[in-house]
Amino acid sequence: MATQAPQVDLPWWQKYLARGVGCGGGIIAMGLGVFNCVTITPWCIVAGIWQMLAAFIVISAEAPCCCMFIEFVQKYSIWVEGRPQWQKAVLYIVLSLPAIIMCPGLSTVFGSGLLFLCGVLYGMMALGKNGKSLGPIKTPPASTDLQGVTTSAI
């Protein structure tokens, strides 16, 4: 089993917001994926199938209680829970993009957009409260122009 990834102190609402968007957005994306498959365009049918699979992956990771009768979901959910948040962010963002690229209709943009939003929320959580910085920002030194007047670079 994977060990729990070190997490920074985050507000409780941020963790539940990401899980809620993942669960609710996954259910909506799955329904819109079915709706997207009712078409005659082959690329939109493939995009709808991709969107349903991506939604299932997100739902099984975020809310395993929705898929409790599928045997491997509990192990998969525990494994995903132990991963760092930036890896979840990358996974959800990468899963959401192909459906939008294949068939940029309203149902794919909205459904996969919710999965993308979940990935963005996990990415923000991975950055932490203030983001990662390389150090303090220094102001550039003042310079003197031709008349001898000291000016600032800002």
Side-chain angles (χ1 to χ4, degrees):
M1 289 289 147
T3 60
Q4 185 66 19
Q7 307 291 331
V8 294
D9 287 334
L10 296 169
W12 62 270
W13 58 268
Q14 196 171 14
K15 295 174 187 175
Y16 288 117
L17 178 67
R19 280 198 174 259
V21 169
C23 182
I27 292 170
I28 292 171
M30 197 172 285
L32 289 174
V34 171
F35 179 74
N36 203 26
C37 286
V38 183
T39 184
I40 58 172
T41 310
W43 280 108
C44 288
I45 294 171
V46 173
I49 293 169
W50 182 276
Q51 185 171 331
M52 288 187 293
L53 288 174
F56 175 75
I57 290 170
V58 172
I59 288 173
S60 61
E62 296 298 322
C65 61
C66 295
C67 309
M68 69 178 140
F69 296 111
I70 301 173
E71 199 171 308
F72 66 89
V73 169
Q74 190 66 30
K75 290 180 184 178
Y76 168 71
S77 175
I78 292 170
W79 180 77
V80 169
E81 190 66 33
R83 309 305 306 163
Q85 292 172 337
W86 70 268
Q87 290 179 357
K88 288 191 241 182
V90 169
L91 174 69
Y92 295 164
I93 288 172
V94 167
L95 279 175
S96 68
L97 291 178
I100 296 172
I101 293 169
M102 284 188 264
C103 182
L106 182 64
S107 60
T108 53
V109 169
F110 184 67
S112 291
L114 289 171
L115 302 179
F116 187 86
L117 177 64
C118 181
V120 168
L121 289 172
Y122 272 111
M124 290 173 50
M125 287 169 42
L127 286 176
K129 186 175 180 181
N130 295 325
K132 298 193 189 296
S133 65
L134 298 175
I137 299 174
K138 297 180 182 178
T139 58
S143 63
T144 306
D145 63 359
L146 296 176
Q147 284 97 16
V149 178
T150 303
T151 58
S152 177
I154 297 178

